Amino acid sequence: MDDCIFCRIVAGEIPADTLFEDDELVVFRDIAPQAPVHFLVVPKKHLSGPAAIAQADEALAGKMVRVAARVAAEQKVGDAFRLVMNNGAKAGQVVFHLHLHVLGGKDAPWPI
Ligand code: AMP
């Protein structure tokens, strides 16, 4: 989608601090971190948010969690990290492209 900022990151049109990428996912640091370690796991396929995950996307959604845990380990957060997905503006979603927040590092608990 042309007007989707995360689609533009996926397409390489906007730079990101990328931690992992494969054919289905890109993982990059959040531009406004809410914790010492804060990155986003983003599917390359455009889905508007968690409520748009269909049965056909279940493997992709599970992979998002698995990759989140692996990158969290690489970022040396130990066994303490938080996964957050916001759905809808009233829940604080501002980017309407599915993403999983991963927060960790010192100073837990983290704000989101
Ligand atoms: P949400 O409120 O769940 O929609 O979260 C969107 C997140 O995307 C926020 O934490 C933003 O700081 C982050 N964000 C927005 N634009 C960028 C960007 N260009 N690069 C990295 N993170 C971004």
Side-chain angles (χ1 to χ4, degrees):
M1 287 178 65
D2 291 347
D3 59 347
C4 170
I5 190 162
F6 286 179
C7 282
R8 294 188 68 193
I9 289 174
V10 166
E13 296 170 8
I14 294 176
D17 188 353
T18 301
L19 301 173
F20 171 82
E21 182 170 6
D22 70 4
D23 57 331
E24 293 181 305
L25 300 178
V26 61
V27 178
F28 51 87
R29 292 190 195 280
D30 196 293
I31 203 167
Q34 302 293 310
V37 174
H38 183 183
F39 60 86
L40 305 171
V41 181
V42 178
K44 291 188 169 180
K45 173 181 178 177
H46 182 91
L47 296 167
S48 61
I53 295 171
Q55 194 169 4
D57 303 314
E58 284 179 357
L60 180 66
K63 181 177 174 179
M64 290 172 71
V65 175
R66 180 173 61 81
V67 169
R70 198 178 74 204
V71 177
E74 290 169 2
Q75 294 299 309
K76 311 221 181 302
V77 300
D79 63 356
F81 59 89
R82 177 173 294 164
L83 304 182
V84 176
M85 273 188 189
N86 295 321
N87 193 88
K90 288 181 180 171
Q93 186 179 7
V94 296
V95 176
F96 290 85
H97 180 129
L98 180 65
H99 54 280
L100 178 62
H101 292 261
V102 184
L103 299 115
K106 291 182 195 161
D107 306 326
W110 311 283
I112 61 171

